[in-house]
Amino acid sequence: VIPAVFVCFLFMISCASLYFNSLEPPEGTYRIRTIENLPYREIWKGFVFNGEKVGFTHMKISPIPGSDNFLIASQAHLRFLFLGMDKHIALKREDTVRSDLTLISFHYEQQMDKEPLRIDGDIVDGTFRFIQESNGRKKTVEKELNDALYPLSVINLYPVIKGMTIGSKYRYKVFDPQTQAIAPVTQSVTAFETSKEMDVEPSFKVETTLLGHGVSTWINLHGKAIFEIGMGGVLITYKEDEDRARNYLLEAGLNKKDLILDFSCVKTGTTLPCPRETTFLEISLEGVSGVLPILQGPGQEAFVNRNGDADSAMYRITSDAVSLPRARGGVLTKKEHYLYLAPTMHLESNDPEIKKTAADVTSTARTPLEQVRKLTHWVSESIRDEAVDSTSAVDVLHDRRGECQAHSMLYTAMARALGIPTKLAGGLVYMEGIGFLFHNWAESYIDGWIAVDPTFNQVGIDATHIKLVESPFWISILDLGKVVGKIKAEIIDYQATCGDEANH
């Protein structure tokens, strides 16, 4: 059962500050000098998405006998309906840390749809080494460290150990196992507040930014994070007891709302009857300007429309399929050429299997454009479109299933393996009978950029693709999360080739 406060949560969150009262902070700096002195050893939290409870988290801190180190064991269980399927995600992590929270070693497991993803790592003599195992395959990564590294699990402990007073700021690096990235964390203490409505006792408010996303956390005078808000109020966690947390998984089957689809879908007043045959689209988007860059090409022209207090981004998109192979774009610099060909953790273009498969698929192609067409067709036909998690191009090649992200990762790695500079793109695409959904595709450079959608088998994509992000790196596509659930769209004009009734 969700606490009554969340029944009206979505109405409240836009003015959440009205429900928190500022207090005079404690004198001096509040600090618990080491993890050993924390007055608690575990914490349970409920997890709410868009006003519906979807799971729980748990963290337990235990001293390791015979040493000055500690084991932080954390877990999260989420269950929700997604595209009509009952999804259950289980995350588990065990971090061995020193009393100052610096990382010594860790074990991480993620279970979703298929065999678990496991990552084990440690730091020895300044070298961070971890082994990723998925579906019986192992991959080893080593990185030299110049700074101290912390586990993701200590983000809400770090301000407590370092000391909190209003105005305190912190910056340090953590390892995020879900993205396999070492990323900087920035934090600041902005207020000392309480809230009767949110059941928050007098607490320091800490603003945290990681991988471009922000979270507000309230940490009480026992050093415990008791309330958190993320994604502008869409994601929250709150303290609760163990029984209520665990019972949720038994009750979750009663929740029939397709939460992710309901939240992320961008509806419009105009219906597009044949989106894959749309050749022109003019559309206005609110909620993008000032949050994401306004991107151009291929086939996309965009600008910001100033209209009082609400700026909108205007996009005019023409399907670039009609102009192939006359792709437009300037000459790549040496740096760009390197970035769009380089192998990465998620796009293993130097992997022998990726290289061999790409060469086999395109063995009869005579030009780079023919290679792109054959790769796109092969990925579209060979990778089953299923809502399962994918961590890298090699995983997709072996599993032969995945969502648009999986199709795009595999295509990008294979194109790079053939020496074709390729980047990832993401944004919105129109799905008939649903509306605009968030989607990933790719762009390859052949005397200019051409857009490629290996999910829909398109070389030269239809005009319902609205590009909001682009990058040579998979992790940068996560910036789409900044606008999920916040976009409003109005179709101004469109043209399609599926009949006169579709032309406006």
Side-chain angles (χ1 to χ4, degrees):
V1 179
I2 302 175
V5 63
F6 298 120
V7 174
C8 57
F9 181 78
L10 292 179
F11 296 97
M12 296 164 55
I13 199 59
S14 61
C15 53
S17 59
L18 298 177
Y19 293 86
F20 285 89
N21 299 313
S22 296
L23 300 174
E24 190 69 25
E27 293 186 4
T29 300
Y30 173 77
R31 182 182 183 189
I32 297 176
R33 294 191 175 275
T34 70
I35 192 172
E36 184 177 11
N37 300 127
L38 283 173
Y40 68 94
R41 281 290 179 262
E42 63 182 318
I43 181 171
W44 294 84
K45 296 180 186 178
F47 193 95
V48 170
F49 177 82
N50 203 24
E52 298 283 345
K53 186 173 180 183
V54 295
F56 70 87
T57 67
H58 173 240
M59 183 179 75
K60 183 176 182 179
I61 304 170
S62 305
I64 298 177
S67 74
D68 296 328
N69 303 325
F70 293 81
L71 178 68
I72 302 178
S74 52
Q75 61 175 313
H77 291 269
L78 309 175
R79 189 178 178 188
F80 50 86
L81 202 64
F82 176 52
L83 297 178
M85 295 179 291
D86 187 11
K87 307 284 284 186
H88 185 184
I89 302 173
L91 308 176
K92 175 184 177 182
R93 179 160 180 163
E94 296 177 346
D95 298 306
T96 301
V97 301
R98 300 178 181 86
S99 59
D100 65 355
L101 305 180
T102 53
L103 180 64
I104 298 174
S105 63
F106 73 92
H107 170 76
Y108 172 82
E109 292 184 19
Q110 173 182 304
Q111 177 75 55
M112 184 172 70
D113 304 311
K114 58 179 183 179
E115 293 185 23
L117 165 69
R118 293 184 175 88
I119 306 178
D120 291 277
D122 58 21
I123 301 174
V124 178
D125 297 330
T127 299
F128 177 49
R129 179 176 181 268
F130 66 89
I131 300 173
Q132 174 187 308
E133 182 176 359
S134 177
N135 292 340
R137 298 183 301 278
K138 292 185 178 181
K139 178 166 58 178
T140 301
V141 177
E142 290 189 359
K143 296 178 181 289
E144 296 297 321
L145 298 178
N146 297 318
D147 304 298
L149 187 64
Y150 298 83
L152 204 62
S153 59
V154 306
I155 282 182
N156 289 333
L157 294 173
Y158 190 94
V160 176
I161 300 301
K162 296 300 179 180
M164 291 188 293
T165 187
I166 294 179
S168 296
K169 297 181 182 296
Y170 323 94
R171 184 179 175 86
Y172 53 98
K173 292 181 178 180
V174 298
F175 176 70
D176 175 23
Q178 289 184 292
T179 59
Q180 291 98 57
I182 294 176
V185 174
T186 58
Q187 292 181 297
S188 59
V189 181
T190 60
F192 189 70
E193 299 177 332
T194 187
S195 173
K196 181 179 179 181
E197 291 84 358
M198 300 294 188
D199 192 26
V200 174
E201 61 200 74
S203 302
F204 286 98
K205 182 182 180 182
V206 178
E207 302 285 0
T208 301
T209 301
L210 170 65
L211 294 172
H213 297 274
V215 176
S216 300
T217 306
W218 283 262
I219 301 176
N220 67 14
L221 293 179
H222 296 289
K224 182 180 288 190
I226 58 174
F227 192 78
E228 290 181 290
I229 299 175
M231 289 183 67
V234 177
L235 297 176
I236 63 173
T237 62
Y238 60 94
K239 63 181 179 179
E240 68 176 358
D241 59 50
E242 178 179 358
D243 289 341
R244 293 188 68 174
R246 289 189 179 278
N247 285 343
Y248 168 73
L249 293 181
L250 299 176
E251 302 165 356
L254 299 177
N255 184 358
K256 299 302 182 183
K257 290 180 64 177
D258 200 321
L259 290 176
I260 306 298
L261 180 62
D262 289 349
F263 174 67
S264 63
C265 182
V266 179
K267 299 287 189 179
T268 69
T270 302
T271 299
L272 302 181
C274 49
R276 302 292 74 81
E277 298 174 62
T278 300
T279 57
F280 174 77
L281 176 69
E282 184 174 1
I283 190 169
S284 170
L285 299 183
E286 290 186 15
V288 175
S289 175
V291 181
L292 294 176
I294 306 303
L295 301 177
Q296 311 295 326
Q300 176 169 298
E301 299 178 41
F303 61 92
V304 177
N305 184 30
R306 307 292 182 186
N307 185 15
D309 296 330
D311 290 346
S312 61
M314 297 292 297
Y315 294 85
R316 296 190 182 110
I317 306 163
T318 303
S319 173
D320 61 342
V322 300
S323 63
L324 292 177
R326 301 186 304 276
R328 298 189 298 270
V331 177
L332 294 184
T333 65
K334 289 183 178 180
K335 181 179 179 180
E336 290 173 328
H337 196 269
Y338 169 78
L339 287 175
Y340 297 130
L341 286 177
T344 70
M345 171 73 68
H346 305 93
L347 307 170
E348 308 100 324
S349 55
N350 59 346
D351 180 84
E353 289 184 272
I354 293 283
K355 294 171 70 173
K356 183 179 186 306
T357 304
D360 291 344
V361 168
T362 62
S363 60
T364 60
R366 296 182 179 182
T367 67
L369 183 58
E370 286 185 30
Q371 289 179 313
V372 166
R373 292 190 188 280
K374 287 184 178 295
L375 282 183
T376 303
H377 179 76
W378 185 87
V379 172
S380 177
E381 293 296 314
S382 302
I383 307 305
R384 298 195 308 276
D385 192 10
E386 294 185 18
V388 298
D389 188 40
S390 303
T391 59
S392 73
V394 170
D395 279 347
V396 180
L397 180 62
H398 283 265
D399 296 343
R400 300 296 177 97
R401 58 179 182 151
E403 300 176 272
C404 57
Q405 170 187 302
H407 290 74
S408 299
M409 285 196 298
L410 180 56
Y411 168 83
T412 299
M414 294 174 73
R416 290 183 182 184
L418 295 174
I420 301 172
T422 300
K423 59 184 172 183
L424 294 167
L428 295 169
V429 71
Y430 192 89
M431 298 299 291
E432 191 168 358
I434 299 176
F436 283 95
L437 297 179
F438 286 86
H439 186 59
N440 294 143
W441 59 95
E443 293 179 8
S444 289
Y445 187 88
I446 306 173
D447 298 326
W449 290 106
I450 59 173
V452 176
D453 191 331
T455 304
F456 299 145
N457 191 20
Q458 292 181 330
V459 177
I461 57 179
D462 66 73
T464 73
H465 289 69
I466 308 170
K467 183 171 65 171
L468 303 179
V469 295
E470 61 181 8
S471 176
F473 309 109
W474 170 82
I475 195 171
S476 299
I477 301 299
L478 298 179
D479 282 346
L480 281 175
K482 296 177 181 179
V483 295
V484 175
K486 301 176 183 179
I487 295 179
K488 295 181 180 179
E490 179 185 358
I491 294 176
I492 310 300
D493 192 14
Y494 73 93
Q495 295 175 5
T497 59
C498 56
D500 292 340
E501 71 279 4
N503 293 305
H504 277 217

